[in-house]
Amino acid sequence: MSSKRTIMIEAAIVVGMLSTGMVVAQSAHASPLQASIQAADPRANVKIESKVLVERNEQDATGQTATKLYQPGDVKVIPGDKLVFINSYHNTGSTAVTGFVVNNPVHSAVAFTGVNENWAMLSVDGGKNFGELIGLTITETTIDGAESESVNITRAAQPSDVTHIRWSFDKAIAAGASGELRFSGIVK
């Protein structure tokens, strides 16, 4: 099998895992409350629908470049492709919802590149701690070859280190209100 075909198959598997991961992540957001608590908690009325799209830059007949978004099944996804992740939310209840939080893991097959909302917090340690990327650090352990001693090196976190994104809504989500939360990444 050619390496090109192998890469396309691997990318298709990645997209499949991402789609499955988004559904699992959505369930994790919505299902931690027990059924008896859900009935009394208006946060259960906020429904989240997640999807991933592949971003492509294409030229039209006049030579103008336009960015288009495609469903992963409609194009061949390969390493290096840009992805857009969209979490659509909708308050289906009759009362405003306060204290709503959305946690979204970044799949290991994706290198995070950015988030649309400047109020989103990021994690580089598997979702244990959140903050702005500029304030996060990574500690790596390396082996000093000559002495076989391990050395800890701390460096500033990079976008590719992001493992989770958290959106904590400061304002109430009004009854019937809806919106989108977006982040982007690149297939590794």
Side-chain angles (χ1 to χ4, degrees), residues 20-36:
T20 302
M22 294 293 285
V23 171
V24 170
Q26 177 183 344
S27 298
H29 301 313
S31 64
L33 299 175
Q34 297 171 354
S36 60

Side-chain angles (χ1 to χ4, degrees), residues 1-48:
M1 185 179 311
S2 74
S3 63
K4 185 175 181 181
R5 180 162 168 76
T6 303
I7 290 171
M8 285 190 239
I9 290 170
E10 288 173 357
I13 291 169
V14 167
V15 169
M17 290 186 318
L18 292 172
S19 298
T20 302
M22 294 293 285
V23 171
V24 170
Q26 177 183 344
S27 298
H29 301 313
S31 64
L33 299 175
Q34 297 171 354
S36 60
I37 296 172
Q38 282 185 346
D41 190 339
R43 291 180 295 179
N45 292 325
V46 179
K47 306 302 179 200
I48 299 174

Side-chain angles (χ1 to χ4, degrees), residues 11-188:
I13 291 169
V14 167
V15 169
M17 290 186 318
L18 292 172
S19 298
T20 302
M22 294 293 285
V23 171
V24 170
Q26 177 183 344
S27 298
H29 301 313
S31 64
L33 299 175
Q34 297 171 354
S36 60
I37 296 172
Q38 282 185 346
D41 190 339
R43 291 180 295 179
N45 292 325
V46 179
K47 306 302 179 200
I48 299 174
E49 189 174 307
S50 301
K51 64 182 172 182
V52 59
L53 300 172
V54 181
E55 181 180 302
R56 295 281 166 85
N57 291 322
E58 298 177 352
Q59 287 188 349
D60 61 18
T62 65
Q64 297 290 341
T65 301
T67 300
K68 294 186 179 183
L69 298 174
Y70 293 96
Q71 297 290 332
D74 295 342
V75 294
K76 291 182 181 176
V77 181
I78 59 173
D81 273 348
K82 295 177 184 178
L83 302 175
V84 177
F85 297 84
I86 303 170
N87 292 311
S88 300
Y89 62 89
H90 180 220
N91 182 354
T92 61
S94 59
T95 60
V97 172
T98 58
F100 195 75
V101 175
V102 176
N103 287 312
N104 203 133
V106 177
H107 195 281
S108 61
V110 175
F112 171 85
T113 57
V115 63
N116 282 26
E117 299 76 24
N118 64 358
W119 49 277
M121 294 287 116
L122 306 174
S123 174
V124 295
D125 61 4
K128 295 175 189 164
N129 299 291
F130 286 86
E132 293 182 22
L133 187 61
I134 196 165
L136 299 175
T137 58
I138 298 288
T139 301
E140 297 174 330
T141 303
T142 60
I143 305 291
D144 182 0
E147 311 243 345
S148 296
E149 292 181 21
S150 56
V151 178
N152 289 335
I153 299 172
T154 301
R155 63 171 174 81
Q158 302 297 311
S160 60
D161 296 319
V162 172
T163 61
H164 290 75
I165 305 161
R166 175 177 287 167
W167 294 270
S168 297
F169 288 74
D170 288 340
K171 298 179 183 175
I173 303 172
S178 60
E180 291 183 344
L181 306 168
R182 291 179 174 231
F183 71 96
S184 55
I186 296 176
V187 177
K188 292 181 181 176

